[in-house]
Structures are given as structure tokens and as C-alpha cells.
């Protein structure tokens, strides 16, 4: 699992207690109207659980931080995902996008944020899709269930001529014909190498933009490009670990958004199926070696120590319990209500 250290860090957080509120994102006017009513109940649950679990803390401090979000769901305008987690600690509140579906709100209190819900964010990997042509490009963000084109920042490279400028184009006097994102050359004084240098310089500008604006050490780049263009980009990026093994070796130059989305969805799905097959194989192998467990107490200990390689979470299942600083409580009445 990618970014598993994030789960370990959540488990190790001990400056709580924490209140974790998981809520669907009201994306429509109708959803917003319903959310306003539901959030009143959420606020009541949060206050009741805090007072029951931690009678000595100042609950008002927590509610003061939570109420702007429960009183006015418009506070979530900057949340673009399908759901979010509002995490309230003793002296701070954090709102985190969730990349998985949430059907109803939930409220939990513990020494840690609700790590099981937050851990699901590490399961669905997000890809950055670079649809690359010789002299232009587009960026998309894609997961198994959602694809969107990204708006480029003001400092992003434009087309090749816009980025390099006519004074900088070494092959500027060379005539070339574009074909599905590729290029053929003819012209004066054999300037095809200079045109290739222009392409490399342009791709270096694109790679610099990607490195500065996206966490390439965490988010893989899926290339949608002709093989010859992909090869030049790999040279320019000089960071092969950022390039996904998923690759579409064709030109996106004349395709619509829907056509690109359909092809990207197929690529991502093929990758997911390959990962699932590998996961089944790994699970069988590690089970035979005695290196798997479904004991929740052991899982928590392993997570605290950063010893989980892969965490498999079954959809729509839960296990009641209350995690304290020293143990997992699954038997008390309070724990059973979590």
C-alpha cells in the first residue's frame, strides 16, 4: 500500500483526544439542504460522546471548532471530493478530503483520529495523467472512479512556441508536419536535430512544472503519448520512478475529453485488475509464511510500529472498539457504540 506511513503516523498520534466526524459532501442544492438538518444531529452526537468519554476535558473548546462546519456546510466549499473528515483536536481542526463514498455521517471520539476511515484514502491510488503531444499537453487526475482535467496554474508552460518563444526556437525556420502528435521534418540545413532539441527543452519545462506543483514521489504519472514523445519526456524528467508502468502508446492530439476519459478509465481498470491479481498471489504466499493476521489488536500494534506492508479493508464492514493510549477496548458499552 502506498503511503502506509501516513496510517502509522495517525496511529502514533497521542496528543488527543480527537473527535472525527465523517460526512458526505453536499454537492447539490438538495444535498446542502438535507446536510444542514443532519449536521445538527451530528453536533449533538459529538458533544454527547465527548462528555461521556472524556468528562474532564473542556468539551466547549471542541464544539467551538466543530460548529462552523456543522452550522454552515458552505464551509466545505473548498472540498471537491465525495466526502470529508473533520478532525478536531484539543487545539486545531483539520478537514481532509476522502476519496471513497460515504453514505451517512458518523461521529467517533478516541485518543487518535478515526484511522480506519482515513486509511481508506491510501487504498485508492490517484494518478496524474499527462496527455502529451509534440508541442502541447493536457493534465488529468484519475482514480478508479473519477477523472477530471486539471486547470493549469498561471506559471504552467503553454504550447511549445509559447513556452520557448520564437527567439529561442533553434528549429524555428524548419518546416514540419504534425501527424497525430508526432512530427516529420524537412527544411533548411538539416535542422531536425535542433527541432528535437526544442522538443526536449519544452518537455523539460513541463517536467519542472510537474515537479514543482505535484508530489511525484507519491503520485505516479501515467503517460498518454506516442512512444517517441514518451521517450523524450523520460529523458527530460530524469525521474523514472515517477512514471507509472501504466502507459497508453498513442496520440491524444485529436481526441475529445470523453474519448480521453474512456481510454484512461480502461488503463486504470487494467492496472487495478493486475494489482488485485498480484494481491491475491501475495496474500496466499504470506499466509503460508504465517505473516498475515485479521486480529484487530495485532493490526493496531503492527500499525503503531510501521509493520504493515498491505492493509486489506473489506467494504461496508466495521468492528466496534475504542482505542486508548494503551489498549483496544471492545467490550465496554461505550466501545460497542463506536
Amino acid at each position: 500500500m502506498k503511503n502506509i506511513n501516513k496510517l502509522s503516523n495517525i496511529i502514533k498520534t497521542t496528543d488527543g483526544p480527537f473527535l472525527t466526524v465523517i460526512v458526505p459532501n453536499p454537492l447539490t442544492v438538495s444535498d446542502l439542504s438535507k446536510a444542514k438538518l443532519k449536521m445538527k444531529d451530528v453536533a449533538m452526537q459529538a458533544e454527547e460522546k465527548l462528555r461521556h468519554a472524556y468528562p474532564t476535558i473542556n468539551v466547549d473548546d471542541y464544539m467551538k471548532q466543530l460548529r462552523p462546519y456543522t452550522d454552515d456546510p458552505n464551509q466545505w466549499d473548498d472540498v471537491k471530493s465525495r466526502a470529508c473528515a473533520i478532525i478536531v483536536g484539543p487545539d486545531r481542526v483539520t478537514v481532509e478530503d476522502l476519496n471513497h463514498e460515504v453514505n451517512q455521517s458518523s461521529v467517533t471520539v478516541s485518543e487518535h483520529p478515526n484511522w480506519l476511515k482515513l486509511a481508506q484514502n491510501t487504498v485508492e491510488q490517484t494518478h496524474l495523467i499527462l496527455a502529451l503531444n509534440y508541442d502541447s499537453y493536457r493534465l488529468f487526475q484519475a482514480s478508479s472512479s473519477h477523472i477530471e482535467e486539471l486547470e493549469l496554474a498561471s506559471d504552467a508552460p503553454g504550447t511549445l512556441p509559447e513556452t520557448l518563444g520564437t527567439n529561442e526556437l533553434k528549429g524555428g525556420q524548419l518546416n514540419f508536419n504534425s501527424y497525430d502528435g508526432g512530427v516529420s521534418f524537412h527544411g533548411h540545413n538539416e535542422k531536425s536535430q535542433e527541432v528535437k532539441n526544442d522538443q526536449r527543452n519544452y518537455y523539460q519545462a513541463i517536467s519542472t512544472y510537474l515537479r514543482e506543483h505535484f508530489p511525484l514521489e507519491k503520485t505516479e504519472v501515467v503517460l498518454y503519448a506516442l512512444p517517441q514523445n514518451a521517450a523524450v519526456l523520460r529523458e527530460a524528467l530524469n525521474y523514472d520512478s515517477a512514471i507509472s508502468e501504466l502507459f497508453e502508446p498513442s496520440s491524444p492530439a485529436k481526441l475529445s475529453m470523453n474519448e480521453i476519459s474512456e481510454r484512461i478509465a480502461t488503463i486504470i481498470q487494467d492496472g487495478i485488475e493486475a494489482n488485485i491479481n498480484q494481491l491475491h498471489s501475495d496474500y496466499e504466499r504470506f499466509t503460508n509464511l504465517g505473516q498475515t493476521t485479521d486480529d484487530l489488536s495485532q493490526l493496531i500494534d503492527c500499525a503503531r510500529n510501521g509493520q504493515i506492508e498491505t492493509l486489506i479493508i473489506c467494504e461496508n464492514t466495521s468492528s466496534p472498539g475504542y482505542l486508548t493510549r494503551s489498549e483496544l477496548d471492545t467490550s465496554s458499552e461505550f466501545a460497542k457504540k463506536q
Side-chain angles (χ1 to χ4, degrees):
M1 177 188 297
K2 208 163 190 179
N3 297 340
I4 193 64
N5 286 336
K6 182 177 181 181
L7 174 59
S8 178
N9 291 337
I10 292 172
I11 293 293
K12 289 179 180 178
T13 302
T14 57
D15 58 345
F18 285 92
L19 167 67
T20 305
V21 177
I22 308 293
V23 289
N25 189 11
L27 299 175
T28 67
V29 174
S30 176
D31 289 343
L32 186 61
S33 177
K34 295 175 183 177
K36 289 179 179 179
L37 295 175
K38 290 180 180 179
M39 291 306 285
K40 291 182 179 179
D41 182 56
V42 166
M44 290 175 60
Q45 287 185 51
E47 185 168 0
E48 180 182 347
K49 288 191 174 186
L50 280 168
R51 292 191 186 282
H52 185 278
Y54 298 99
T56 61
I57 68 170
N58 188 338
V59 173
D60 290 340
D61 287 346
Y62 283 78
M63 299 309 298
K64 188 182 298 183
Q65 296 181 81
L66 177 64
R67 282 203 175 96
Y69 299 94
T70 58
D71 291 350
D72 182 11
N74 286 316
Q75 291 279 348
W76 310 338
D77 282 348
D78 57 343
V79 176
K80 304 304 180 185
S81 59
R82 292 165 288 176
C84 68
I86 304 170
I87 306 165
V88 185
D91 56 4
R92 67 186 184 278
V93 59
T94 303
V95 179
E96 180 165 341
D97 286 4
L98 301 179
N99 58 22
H100 53 274
E101 202 73 44
V102 172
N103 295 321
Q104 60 183 11
S105 303
S106 65
V107 179
T108 55
V109 294
S110 176
E111 293 295 320
H112 315 270
N114 188 331
W115 65 272
L116 190 59
K117 289 292 185 181
L118 298 177
Q120 289 182 251
N121 264 16
T122 65
V123 176
E124 184 175 347
Q125 186 174 337
T126 299
H127 295 280
L128 187 66
I129 312 295
L130 176 58
L132 185 67
N133 304 307
Y134 164 75
D135 58 357
S136 64
Y137 69 102
R138 297 166 72 182
L139 282 177
F140 300 83
Q141 183 170 288
S143 67
S144 59
S145 56
H146 183 66
I147 298 171
E148 64 176 335
E149 185 165 4
L150 298 179
E151 184 177 346
L152 301 178
S154 59
D155 61 340
T159 63
L160 185 149
E162 291 169 346
T163 302
L164 299 185
T166 55
N167 292 332
E168 298 296 326
L169 287 171
K170 301 300 182 182
Q173 300 302 315
L174 179 68
N175 296 319
F176 64 87
N177 296 318
S178 177
Y179 60 98
D180 288 341
V183 63
S184 62
F185 315 103
H186 71 276
H188 312 293
N189 301 324
E190 296 296 327
K191 289 197 174 183
S192 61
Q193 183 58 48
E194 294 181 357
V195 171
K196 291 178 181 178
N197 290 340
D198 289 339
Q199 183 185 22
R200 186 176 296 106
N201 291 337
Y202 177 50
Y203 285 5
Q204 284 175 343
I206 294 174
S207 67
T208 297
Y209 174 77
L210 293 178
R211 283 195 301 268
E212 291 178 350
H213 288 265
F214 299 93
L216 298 189
E217 70 282 358
K218 299 179 181 179
T219 305
E220 291 186 325
V221 179
V222 177
L223 291 182
Y224 193 143
L226 289 171
Q228 59 266 36
N229 290 341
V232 177
L233 180 78
R234 286 181 184 275
E235 291 179 11
L237 194 58
N238 194 28
Y239 190 58
D240 263 359
S241 61
I243 304 296
S244 172
E245 293 181 0
L246 304 178
F247 173 51
E248 171 55 36
S250 62
S251 171
K254 297 180 180 180
L255 301 182
S256 67
M257 171 66 184
N258 286 340
E259 290 171 323
I260 291 176
S261 295
E262 288 176 5
R263 186 61 196 136
I264 290 173
T266 300
I267 296 170
I268 298 297
Q269 187 58 41
D270 290 345
I272 290 172
E273 290 176 2
N275 287 339
I276 290 174
N277 291 335
Q278 184 63 51
L279 182 62
H280 280 298
S281 176
D282 290 344
Y283 183 76
E284 183 176 349
R285 178 165 60 90
F286 287 123
T287 297
N288 291 335
L289 293 172
Q291 296 178 354
T292 62
T293 182
D294 58 5
D295 184 283
L296 191 54
S297 295
Q298 290 184 16
L299 285 172
I300 290 171
D301 289 340
C302 290
R304 279 176 166 154
N305 296 321
Q307 295 174 328
I308 296 180
E309 174 67 26
T310 301
L311 178 66
I312 302 173
I313 303 174
C314 297
E315 192 171 0
N316 297 323
T317 60
S318 62
S319 179
Y322 176 62
L323 184 62
T324 69
R325 298 190 182 197
S326 59
E327 63 179 356
L328 175 67
D329 172 14
T330 59
S331 58
S332 70
E333 286 302 313
F334 178 74
K336 292 177 181 178
K337 293 179 181 180
Q338 293 298 301

